[in-house]
Amino acid sequence: MLVPHQELPATAAAVAADAAQPMEVVAQTEPANAAESQPPEDPQTSRFTWTIENFTRINGKKHYSEPFVVGGFKWRVLIFPKGNNVDHFSMYLDVADSVNLPYGWNRYAQFSLAVVNQIHPKYTIRKDTQHQFNARESDWGFTSFMPLSDLYDPSRGYLVNDTVVVEAEVAVRRMVDYWTYDSKKETGYVGLKNQGATCYMNSLLQTLYHIPYFRKAVYHMPTTENDMPSGSIPLALQSLFYKLQYSDNSVATKELTKSFGWDTYDSFMQHDVQELNRLDVKGCRDVYASFDKYVEVERLEGDNKYHAEQYGLQINDRYEFPLQLDLDRDDGKYLAPDADRSIRNLYTLHRYKFDDERVTKEDTKKALEEQYGGEEELPQINPGFNNTPFKFTKYSNAYMLVYIRESDKDKIMCNVDEKDIAEHLRIRLKKEQEEKEHKKKEKAEAHLYTIIKVARDEDLNERIGKKIYFDLVNHEKVRSFCIRKQLPFTSFKEEVAKECGIPVQFQRFWLWAKRQNHTYRPNRPLGPHEESQSVGQLREVSNKAHNAELKLFLEVETGVDLRPIRPPEKSKEDILLFFKLYNPEKEELWLFVKATGKPSEILTKLNEMAGFAPNEEIELYEEIKFEPNVMCEHIDKKLTFRSSQLEDGDIICFQKSPVSDGETQVRYPDVPSFLEYVHNRQVVHFRSLEKPKEDDFCLELSKLHTYDDVVERVARQLGLDDPSKIRLTSHNCYSQQPKPQPIRYRGVEHLLDMLVHYNQTSDILYYEVLDIPLPELQCLKTLKVAFHHATKDEVELSNPDAELRLLEVFYHKIYKIFPPHEKIENINDQYWTLRAEEIPEEEKNLGPHDRLIHVYHFMKDPNQNQIQNFGDPFLLVIREGETAAEILERIQKKLRVPDEEFSKWKLAFISMNRPEYLQDVDVRRDVYGAWEQYLGLEHTDTTPKRSYTANQNRHTFEKPVKIYN
């Protein structure tokens, strides 16, 4: 089976991005119509030559050629004689009649543009690229085609007799419509969804799935009904293969990658199939050459390495593979010594093209030759002057080849059906498939249904006095009914009767309305005419009331025995009001009943319901809105409700009149101050900075608290006497880690500022207890210093009064040695390592001809022909007349390296990253600098990788697959 790679290689994509671009910013491609849904035909090609006379006299910024026809459509060349806002000649290929193209039109073109050198044709400048053109992306080309200085210089040969000759070679083909193509219908197979950068994995999975013998083995792996796919690779793989076999649409791989232990980031990290199975192709023209290379490598030993440097490092090299692979050729040199020579080792390539979600059949030419990569030369159309062949790079490459031995074909390509799948797996996956189909059906029929949200008095009780005090109900938590739009509303009332146990004759529904201040309140009861309509018609009424959904309030009156009774008639003079009682000592609000009339007429009733004395003085407030600011206004009890502009659905909060009593201290004496507190209340989860994953304790604070307020509460929680010794650090909402820098003392105004991270608000703060007060610590500079010893990890001085020095180390080189008088404020350890070390005795009394030089460890990078430093650099005294051998002897003694290992080390003089290996002669002593010239020790880096390297970039290494069972 052939799995071609349809994506542009990363390196090639970067080249294309630098080279070709649209003339200006364009919108996204629109989908093609159904007429475009046909297999791509062979490209139609054409060469167009444009002779531009009086070139320097062209007026205007841009200039178009005459149209020419390729693939049945008109094209033209667009130039900018003085450059498109650059100092280069700009040239593009343009669709001539883009404004008149049919909706969804698109064409894929591979093309070259050239400026002909009329004196020396071999110096003609030609650039090629490719692009999918559509009505909105109608031009593509090169903004910086060639420098204007070269074009306008008559001696160069591009501008002759004020004439410029431009050529365009265009190959056009129609593209298959990606969106309407049905892989299952066309090929019998379905594709795999790409999670972000998982084409490498999709290719491997499709390859393994299409080996039936392997698929059967996967189905026979032991799994149980209690296993979960997200924690079991075998079960996740079985599930994936089952869906590939029985689904009609492309299949997702998220369940499988979860079983690997991968998160979303890992899915977007580009891996390679070669991590599991690799065939060496670099420098080889075909499969047999790869086998030759493989066999040769196997026979080499020791340091005698195989090189193919004569081929060079190329992008998208041509690589050929045959339809049949004969491994018996050349006396079976590719077979293992113990291979059975009696079997005919002839292997056949099986092919389909898998491009993530889309699967297509390929004929032999497209499956083989067009997947070889490299360049392709199109046939010449008009042979003649300067008619060089038009070549374009082929970015479609096969990167997984699977050959099956003909003698084993029946065994490998066996039949796989449901009997090969464990019963528990069939039951589980069929149920998943049925649920998926059910959801799909629901989605398809969603337009026939509507959601009705019904709030009752019990929802009011849930809202009030349960940590949430504002407004009436939480509309996200009230009961929802999914009802067909054609159902009569009277039938809906019967549904409510069944669900809530309230007879239809005792129900009265109010329509909620969204007010201008963005609050929702019951606006009016439904009338008999509205209740005789269908649910869908009522939905239209709801939309006029500014509801995004159909929201109803179910009013139920109860008698003395708490049984439902028929709601009383409502006249135009009646107003439905909701009353809440506020107790400053309990800090709670409660919902009571509806009432009409003047406040003075119901004060006695309110006192009775609240359990107060009949003549208790109470204050009334109207709760208006909560966001973005609290609005709660005092109500004049002498005015009527209507004079106070109160209407249906309004909320009145009442409380005992505040008394100025020195003995009783309450935090929030009245309703407005309490609602202000609720509005700014914030529960914060505090974590110790040493254990950033675990909540330590929670505190209820105000968003308006200052830094001092917060640390005072934290100190009280921790039982500390001095709050100033607490330092806080904010939370990074994206990494779910503490931010690198702590919050400066009084560096933010309020708690809210400590919790905001970009456009998100967190509820987590980290704390640490310091040895000294934070204001005092902020006046000091914190430096992280690593003590260095040549051969030991622990700090060990020769004597208590040993003389020390401080250095900057960056990328395994000593960047600076700090003089003793250096100011602390000038030292920065953010980007490099500060290192302290004892000054050796040999450096304290340097002679007039002794030199203190830098010595670094290095390896040569075979691919880039550069050196890479590693390990701990150090300083070394070089004495006059000292040879390389003597220096090496002292280095070995200093670093305590065993003879066997040190015998492989080489000494070199390094200048500008180029090594000059030193023999047993005098060492150059007068050219060493701290950075670019130094002594280098070449050897293999055998030290384990330090953890801090990974910490500097958390995504340096790819996450391995975790196997849980």
Side-chain angles (χ1 to χ4, degrees), residues 799-833:
N799 63 79
D801 299 323
E803 188 177 350
L804 303 178
R805 64 181 167 212
L806 188 66
L807 311 91
E808 280 181 0
V809 177
F810 185 59
Y811 276 100
H812 310 286
K813 295 182 179 180
I814 297 172
Y815 184 67
K816 181 178 181 180
I817 302 175
F818 290 100
H821 60 271
E822 183 75 64
K823 291 184 178 180
I824 296 295
E825 63 183 359
N826 295 335
I827 301 176
N828 188 346
D829 67 340
Q830 186 171 0
Y831 300 106
W832 39 72
T833 301

mmCIF file of all heavy atoms in Angstrom, residues 799-833:
data_model
loop_
_atom_site.group_PDB
_atom_site.id
_atom_site.type_symbol
_atom_site.label_atom_id
_atom_site.label_comp_id
_atom_site.label_asym_id
_atom_site.label_seq_id
_atom_site.Cartn_x
_atom_site.Cartn_y
_atom_site.Cartn_z
ATOM 1 N N ASN A 799 40.517 26.074 52.327
ATOM 2 C CA ASN A 799 40.577 26.610 53.687
ATOM 3 C C ASN A 799 39.457 27.622 53.856
ATOM 4 O O ASN A 799 38.934 28.154 52.867
ATOM 5 C CB ASN A 799 41.955 27.231 53.977
ATOM 6 C CG ASN A 799 42.245 28.418 53.069
ATOM 7 O OD1 ASN A 799 41.759 29.511 53.299
ATOM 8 N ND2 ASN A 799 43.037 28.181 52.014
ATOM 9 N N PRO A 800 39.088 27.927 55.089
ATOM 10 C CA PRO A 800 37.946 28.842 55.315
ATOM 11 C C PRO A 800 38.153 30.221 54.723
ATOM 12 O O PRO A 800 37.186 30.915 54.417
ATOM 13 C CB PRO A 800 37.833 28.895 56.846
ATOM 14 C CG PRO A 800 38.483 27.645 57.317
ATOM 15 C CD PRO A 800 39.594 27.354 56.354
ATOM 16 N N ASP A 801 39.401 30.656 54.554
ATOM 17 C CA ASP A 801 39.671 31.995 54.039
ATOM 18 C C ASP A 801 40.043 31.971 52.556
ATOM 19 O O ASP A 801 40.714 32.892 52.057
ATOM 20 C CB ASP A 801 40.812 32.640 54.846
ATOM 21 C CG ASP A 801 40.458 32.785 56.321
ATOM 22 O OD1 ASP A 801 39.279 33.072 56.614
ATOM 23 O OD2 ASP A 801 41.347 32.591 57.173
ATOM 24 N N ALA A 802 39.653 30.926 51.851
ATOM 25 C CA ALA A 802 40.024 30.800 50.435
ATOM 26 C C ALA A 802 39.469 31.977 49.639
ATOM 27 O O ALA A 802 38.368 32.478 49.896
ATOM 28 C CB ALA A 802 39.499 29.482 49.885
ATOM 29 N N GLU A 803 40.241 32.412 48.649
ATOM 30 C CA GLU A 803 39.855 33.541 47.813
ATOM 31 C C GLU A 803 38.945 33.042 46.683
ATOM 32 O O GLU A 803 39.278 32.088 45.981
ATOM 33 C CB GLU A 803 41.103 34.209 47.239
ATOM 34 C CG GLU A 803 40.797 35.509 46.500
ATOM 35 C CD GLU A 803 42.078 36.191 46.006
ATOM 36 O OE1 GLU A 803 43.170 35.737 46.403
ATOM 37 O OE2 GLU A 803 41.960 37.161 45.239
ATOM 38 N N LEU A 804 37.789 33.697 46.501
ATOM 39 C CA LEU A 804 36.807 33.290 45.498
ATOM 40 C C LEU A 804 36.675 34.335 44.401
ATOM 41 O O LEU A 804 37.064 35.500 44.580
ATOM 42 C CB LEU A 804 35.432 33.071 46.147
ATOM 43 C CG LEU A 804 35.334 32.065 47.293
ATOM 44 C CD1 LEU A 804 33.920 32.030 47.838
ATOM 45 C CD2 LEU A 804 35.763 30.687 46.829
ATOM 46 N N ARG A 805 36.107 33.922 43.285
ATOM 47 C CA ARG A 805 35.776 34.863 42.211
ATOM 48 C C ARG A 805 34.419 34.489 41.629
ATOM 49 O O ARG A 805 33.960 33.349 41.741
ATOM 50 C CB ARG A 805 36.836 34.867 41.116
ATOM 51 C CG ARG A 805 36.976 33.555 40.357
ATOM 52 C CD ARG A 805 38.073 33.645 39.318
ATOM 53 N NE ARG A 805 38.430 32.328 38.797
ATOM 54 C CZ ARG A 805 39.649 31.995 38.391
ATOM 55 N NH1 ARG A 805 40.641 32.871 38.446
ATOM 56 N NH2 ARG A 805 39.883 30.779 37.931
ATOM 57 N N LEU A 806 33.778 35.461 40.983
ATOM 58 C CA LEU A 806 32.448 35.290 40.405
ATOM 59 C C LEU A 806 32.541 35.464 38.888
ATOM 60 O O LEU A 806 33.177 36.409 38.404
ATOM 61 C CB LEU A 806 31.464 36.310 40.990
ATOM 62 C CG LEU A 806 29.985 36.143 40.638
ATOM 63 C CD1 LEU A 806 29.432 34.869 41.246
ATOM 64 C CD2 LEU A 806 29.186 37.352 41.136
ATOM 65 N N LEU A 807 31.918 34.536 38.144
ATOM 66 C CA LEU A 807 31.967 34.571 36.689
ATOM 67 C C LEU A 807 30.566 34.480 36.100
ATOM 68 O O LEU A 807 29.655 33.951 36.730
ATOM 69 C CB LEU A 807 32.811 33.408 36.127
ATOM 70 C CG LEU A 807 34.179 33.110 36.680
ATOM 71 C CD1 LEU A 807 34.090 32.107 37.823
ATOM 72 C CD2 LEU A 807 35.089 32.532 35.593
ATOM 73 N N GLU A 808 30.428 34.977 34.868
ATOM 74 C CA GLU A 808 29.221 34.742 34.075
ATOM 75 C C GLU A 808 29.519 33.625 33.091
ATOM 76 O O GLU A 808 30.509 33.694 32.354
ATOM 77 C CB GLU A 808 28.824 35.999 33.290
ATOM 78 C CG GLU A 808 28.089 37.037 34.105
ATOM 79 C CD GLU A 808 27.698 38.234 33.252
ATOM 80 O OE1 GLU A 808 28.014 38.220 32.048
ATOM 81 O OE2 GLU A 808 27.112 39.179 33.799
ATOM 82 N N VAL A 809 28.665 32.598 33.061
ATOM 83 C CA VAL A 809 28.821 31.489 32.124
ATOM 84 C C VAL A 809 27.586 31.449 31.230
ATOM 85 O O VAL A 809 26.452 31.446 31.720
ATOM 86 C CB VAL A 809 29.000 30.145 32.868
ATOM 87 C CG1 VAL A 809 29.080 28.994 31.873
ATOM 88 C CG2 VAL A 809 30.256 30.192 33.725
ATOM 89 N N PHE A 810 27.810 31.426 29.920
ATOM 90 C CA PHE A 810 26.710 31.459 28.964
ATOM 91 C C PHE A 810 27.034 30.510 27.821
ATOM 92 O O PHE A 810 28.086 30.633 27.181
ATOM 93 C CB PHE A 810 26.527 32.891 28.453
ATOM 94 C CG PHE A 810 25.345 33.083 27.552
ATOM 95 C CD1 PHE A 810 24.060 32.795 27.997
ATOM 96 C CD2 PHE A 810 25.502 33.570 26.269
ATOM 97 C CE1 PHE A 810 22.967 32.989 27.187
ATOM 98 C CE2 PHE A 810 24.413 33.771 25.441
ATOM 99 C CZ PHE A 810 23.142 33.477 25.905
ATOM 100 N N TYR A 811 26.138 29.530 27.573
ATOM 101 C CA TYR A 811 26.347 28.540 26.520
ATOM 102 C C TYR A 811 27.722 27.881 26.633
ATOM 103 O O TYR A 811 28.462 27.762 25.672
ATOM 104 C CB TYR A 811 26.183 29.168 25.127
ATOM 105 C CG TYR A 811 24.748 29.223 24.683
ATOM 106 C CD1 TYR A 811 24.020 30.399 24.786
ATOM 107 C CD2 TYR A 811 24.107 28.099 24.189
ATOM 108 C CE1 TYR A 811 22.690 30.457 24.385
ATOM 109 C CE2 TYR A 811 22.780 28.140 23.781
ATOM 110 C CZ TYR A 811 22.075 29.319 23.890
ATOM 111 O OH TYR A 811 20.757 29.371 23.490
ATOM 112 N N HIS A 812 28.054 27.477 27.868
ATOM 113 C CA HIS A 812 29.260 26.702 28.152
ATOM 114 C C HIS A 812 30.544 27.478 27.866
ATOM 115 O O HIS A 812 31.590 26.883 27.618
ATOM 116 C CB HIS A 812 29.254 25.387 27.357
ATOM 117 C CG HIS A 812 27.977 24.621 27.482
ATOM 118 N ND1 HIS A 812 27.633 23.929 28.628
ATOM 119 C CD2 HIS A 812 26.933 24.456 26.625
ATOM 120 C CE1 HIS A 812 26.453 23.366 28.468
ATOM 121 N NE2 HIS A 812 26.009 23.672 27.259
ATOM 122 N N LYS A 813 30.443 28.820 27.908
ATOM 123 C CA LYS A 813 31.623 29.667 27.769
ATOM 124 C C LYS A 813 31.645 30.679 28.904
ATOM 125 O O LYS A 813 30.591 31.089 29.400
ATOM 126 C CB LYS A 813 31.614 30.409 26.426
ATOM 127 C CG LYS A 813 31.728 29.524 25.205
ATOM 128 C CD LYS A 813 31.763 30.365 23.934
ATOM 129 C CE LYS A 813 31.895 29.502 22.689
ATOM 130 N NZ LYS A 813 31.938 30.318 21.444
ATOM 131 N N ILE A 814 32.866 31.072 29.318
ATOM 132 C CA ILE A 814 33.012 32.100 30.354
ATOM 133 C C ILE A 814 32.911 33.451 29.666
ATOM 134 O O ILE A 814 33.739 33.797 28.812
ATOM 135 C CB ILE A 814 34.354 31.953 31.090
ATOM 136 C CG1 ILE A 814 34.411 30.607 31.812
ATOM 137 C CG2 ILE A 814 34.552 33.094 32.073
ATOM 138 C CD1 ILE A 814 35.756 30.284 32.403
ATOM 139 N N TYR A 815 31.894 34.195 30.013
ATOM 140 C CA TYR A 815 31.634 35.466 29.355
ATOM 141 C C TYR A 815 32.307 36.631 30.079
ATOM 142 O O TYR A 815 32.764 37.581 29.459
ATOM 143 C CB TYR A 815 30.128 35.694 29.269
ATOM 144 C CG TYR A 815 29.735 36.945 28.525
ATOM 145 C CD1 TYR A 815 29.971 37.070 27.155
ATOM 146 C CD2 TYR A 815 29.129 38.007 29.181
ATOM 147 C CE1 TYR A 815 29.613 38.209 26.470
ATOM 148 C CE2 TYR A 815 28.768 39.164 28.494
ATOM 149 C CZ TYR A 815 29.018 39.262 27.140
ATOM 150 O OH TYR A 815 28.662 40.393 26.457
ATOM 151 N N LYS A 816 32.355 36.550 31.422
ATOM 152 C CA LYS A 816 32.895 37.676 32.178
ATOM 153 C C LYS A 816 33.398 37.201 33.532
ATOM 154 O O LYS A 816 32.815 36.307 34.148
ATOM 155 C CB LYS A 816 31.808 38.743 32.372
ATOM 156 C CG LYS A 816 32.252 39.979 33.124
ATOM 157 C CD LYS A 816 31.098 40.993 33.220
ATOM 158 C CE LYS A 816 31.529 42.248 33.943
ATOM 159 N NZ LYS A 816 30.421 43.239 34.047
ATOM 160 N N ILE A 817 34.492 37.790 33.968
ATOM 161 C CA ILE A 817 34.991 37.603 35.335
ATOM 162 C C ILE A 817 34.771 38.930 36.061
ATOM 163 O O ILE A 817 35.313 39.959 35.671
ATOM 164 C CB ILE A 817 36.487 37.222 35.355
ATOM 165 C CG1 ILE A 817 36.709 35.939 34.543
ATOM 166 C CG2 ILE A 817 36.971 37.051 36.790
ATOM 167 C CD1 ILE A 817 38.163 35.556 34.413
ATOM 168 N N PHE A 818 33.947 38.911 37.105
ATOM 169 C CA PHE A 818 33.606 40.142 37.791
ATOM 170 C C PHE A 818 34.765 40.633 38.645
ATOM 171 O O PHE A 818 35.318 39.868 39.452
ATOM 172 C CB PHE A 818 32.383 39.939 38.688
ATOM 173 C CG PHE A 818 31.104 39.733 37.923
ATOM 174 C CD1 PHE A 818 30.580 38.468 37.735
ATOM 175 C CD2 PHE A 818 30.422 40.819 37.380
ATOM 176 C CE1 PHE A 818 29.412 38.274 37.028
ATOM 177 C CE2 PHE A 818 29.245 40.629 36.679
ATOM 178 C CZ PHE A 818 28.737 39.361 36.497
ATOM 179 N N PRO A 819 35.130 41.905 38.500
ATOM 180 C CA PRO A 819 36.133 42.472 39.415
ATOM 181 C C PRO A 819 35.531 42.647 40.805
ATOM 182 O O PRO A 819 34.303 42.785 40.939
ATOM 183 C CB PRO A 819 36.471 43.824 38.765
ATOM 184 C CG PRO A 819 35.278 44.157 37.931
ATOM 185 C CD PRO A 819 34.701 42.854 37.471
ATOM 186 N N PRO A 820 36.350 42.659 41.851
ATOM 187 C CA PRO A 820 35.814 42.758 43.226
ATOM 188 C C PRO A 820 34.982 44.006 43.468
ATOM 189 O O PRO A 820 34.072 44.002 44.307
ATOM 190 C CB PRO A 820 37.077 42.752 44.094
ATOM 191 C CG PRO A 820 38.122 42.097 43.253
ATOM 192 C CD PRO A 820 37.818 42.472 41.840
ATOM 193 N N HIS A 821 35.229 45.082 42.720
ATOM 194 C CA HIS A 821 34.513 46.343 42.977
ATOM 195 C C HIS A 821 33.226 46.460 42.161
ATOM 196 O O HIS A 821 32.571 47.498 42.176
ATOM 197 C CB HIS A 821 35.430 47.530 42.648
ATOM 198 C CG HIS A 821 35.882 47.530 41.215
ATOM 199 N ND1 HIS A 821 37.036 46.872 40.820
ATOM 200 C CD2 HIS A 821 35.343 48.083 40.089
ATOM 201 C CE1 HIS A 821 37.182 47.030 39.505
ATOM 202 N NE2 HIS A 821 36.172 47.749 39.041
ATOM 203 N N GLU A 822 32.828 45.406 41.411
ATOM 204 C CA GLU A 822 31.601 45.444 40.596
ATOM 205 C C GLU A 822 30.379 45.674 41.482
ATOM 206 O O GLU A 822 30.220 45.067 42.539
ATOM 207 C CB GLU A 822 31.443 44.121 39.845
ATOM 208 C CG GLU A 822 30.235 44.061 38.913
ATOM 209 C CD GLU A 822 30.441 44.860 37.643
ATOM 210 O OE1 GLU A 822 31.339 44.491 36.860
ATOM 211 O OE2 GLU A 822 29.713 45.855 37.464
ATOM 212 N N LYS A 823 29.470 46.558 41.048
ATOM 213 C CA LYS A 823 28.258 46.827 41.803
ATOM 214 C C LYS A 823 27.265 45.676 41.620
ATOM 215 O O LYS A 823 27.098 45.159 40.516
ATOM 216 C CB LYS A 823 27.614 48.134 41.344
ATOM 217 C CG LYS A 823 28.422 49.370 41.718
ATOM 218 C CD LYS A 823 27.651 50.630 41.316
ATOM 219 C CE LYS A 823 28.420 51.878 41.727
ATOM 220 N NZ LYS A 823 27.698 53.123 41.351
ATOM 221 N N ILE A 824 26.610 45.314 42.702
ATOM 222 C CA ILE A 824 25.642 44.216 42.643
ATOM 223 C C ILE A 824 24.522 44.513 41.655
ATOM 224 O O ILE A 824 24.034 43.631 40.951
ATOM 225 C CB ILE A 824 25.057 43.937 44.047
ATOM 226 C CG1 ILE A 824 26.151 43.455 44.986
ATOM 227 C CG2 ILE A 824 23.927 42.914 43.967
ATOM 228 C CD1 ILE A 824 26.743 42.124 44.607
ATOM 229 N N GLU A 825 24.115 45.779 41.563
ATOM 230 C CA GLU A 825 23.002 46.122 40.685
ATOM 231 C C GLU A 825 23.319 45.876 39.214
ATOM 232 O O GLU A 825 22.415 45.773 38.375
ATOM 233 C CB GLU A 825 22.604 47.585 40.884
ATOM 234 C CG GLU A 825 23.692 48.577 40.512
ATOM 235 C CD GLU A 825 23.279 50.018 40.783
ATOM 236 O OE1 GLU A 825 22.132 50.204 41.239
ATOM 237 O OE2 GLU A 825 24.089 50.927 40.540
ATOM 238 N N ASN A 826 24.592 45.749 38.865
ATOM 239 C CA ASN A 826 24.977 45.501 37.474
ATOM 240 C C ASN A 826 24.993 44.022 37.121
ATOM 241 O O ASN A 826 25.189 43.664 35.968
ATOM 242 C CB ASN A 826 26.370 46.089 37.195
ATOM 243 C CG ASN A 826 26.371 47.607 37.323
ATOM 244 O OD1 ASN A 826 25.335 48.246 37.170
ATOM 245 N ND2 ASN A 826 27.534 48.177 37.598
ATOM 246 N N ILE A 827 24.822 43.153 38.117
ATOM 247 C CA ILE A 827 24.895 41.709 37.888
ATOM 248 C C ILE A 827 23.498 41.181 37.556
ATOM 249 O O ILE A 827 22.534 41.477 38.245
ATOM 250 C CB ILE A 827 25.466 40.985 39.129
ATOM 251 C CG1 ILE A 827 26.862 41.527 39.458
ATOM 252 C CG2 ILE A 827 25.525 39.482 38.885
ATOM 253 C CD1 ILE A 827 27.452 40.939 40.715
ATOM 254 N N ASN A 828 23.413 40.403 36.495
ATOM 255 C CA ASN A 828 22.127 39.867 36.043
ATOM 256 C C ASN A 828 22.268 38.369 35.826
ATOM 257 O O ASN A 828 23.141 37.923 35.086
ATOM 258 C CB ASN A 828 21.710 40.547 34.731
ATOM 259 C CG ASN A 828 20.303 40.171 34.313
ATOM 260 O OD1 ASN A 828 19.729 39.222 34.828
ATOM 261 N ND2 ASN A 828 19.754 40.929 33.380
ATOM 262 N N ASP A 829 21.406 37.588 36.467
ATOM 263 C CA ASP A 829 21.477 36.132 36.321
ATOM 264 C C ASP A 829 20.268 35.579 35.584
ATOM 265 O O ASP A 829 19.981 34.391 35.630
ATOM 266 C CB ASP A 829 21.594 35.456 37.691
ATOM 267 C CG ASP A 829 20.324 35.635 38.522
ATOM 268 O OD1 ASP A 829 19.544 36.553 38.225
ATOM 269 O OD2 ASP A 829 20.130 34.862 39.471
ATOM 270 N N GLN A 830 19.540 36.451 34.882
ATOM 271 C CA GLN A 830 18.307 35.997 34.236
ATOM 272 C C GLN A 830 18.581 35.133 33.017
ATOM 273 O O GLN A 830 17.866 34.193 32.722
ATOM 274 C CB GLN A 830 17.461 37.212 33.840
ATOM 275 C CG GLN A 830 16.085 36.820 33.293
ATOM 276 C CD GLN A 830 15.189 38.017 33.114
ATOM 277 O OE1 GLN A 830 15.578 39.139 33.385
ATOM 278 N NE2 GLN A 830 13.980 37.770 32.648
ATOM 279 N N TYR A 831 19.615 35.450 32.249
ATOM 280 C CA TYR A 831 19.869 34.739 30.995
ATOM 281 C C TYR A 831 21.096 33.845 31.043
ATOM 282 O O TYR A 831 21.264 32.989 30.206
ATOM 283 C CB TYR A 831 20.023 35.744 29.849
ATOM 284 C CG TYR A 831 18.801 36.583 29.645
ATOM 285 C CD1 TYR A 831 18.780 37.923 30.032
ATOM 286 C CD2 TYR A 831 17.636 36.035 29.103
ATOM 287 C CE1 TYR A 831 17.631 38.698 29.855
ATOM 288 C CE2 TYR A 831 16.490 36.794 28.924
ATOM 289 C CZ TYR A 831 16.494 38.125 29.305
ATOM 290 O OH TYR A 831 15.368 38.878 29.134
ATOM 291 N N TRP A 832 21.993 34.052 31.987
ATOM 292 C CA TRP A 832 23.175 33.229 32.078
ATOM 293 C C TRP A 832 23.390 32.783 33.508
ATOM 294 O O TRP A 832 22.749 33.265 34.441
ATOM 295 C CB TRP A 832 24.409 33.963 31.553
ATOM 296 C CG TRP A 832 24.442 35.418 31.920
ATOM 297 C CD1 TRP A 832 24.672 35.955 33.142
ATOM 298 C CD2 TRP A 832 24.194 36.522 31.046
ATOM 299 N NE1 TRP A 832 24.594 37.310 33.102
ATOM 300 C CE2 TRP A 832 24.318 37.694 31.824
ATOM 301 C CE3 TRP A 832 23.915 36.632 29.680
ATOM 302 C CZ2 TRP A 832 24.151 38.968 31.277
ATOM 303 C CZ3 TRP A 832 23.757 37.900 29.163
ATOM 304 C CH2 TRP A 832 23.861 39.041 29.936
ATOM 305 N N THR A 833 24.334 31.890 33.684
ATOM 306 C CA THR A 833 24.592 31.315 34.998
ATOM 307 C C THR A 833 25.703 32.094 35.696
ATOM 308 O O THR A 833 26.733 32.415 35.096
ATOM 309 C CB THR A 833 25.016 29.836 34.850
ATOM 310 O OG1 THR A 833 23.959 29.130 34.192
ATOM 311 C CG2 THR A 833 25.280 29.211 36.212
#
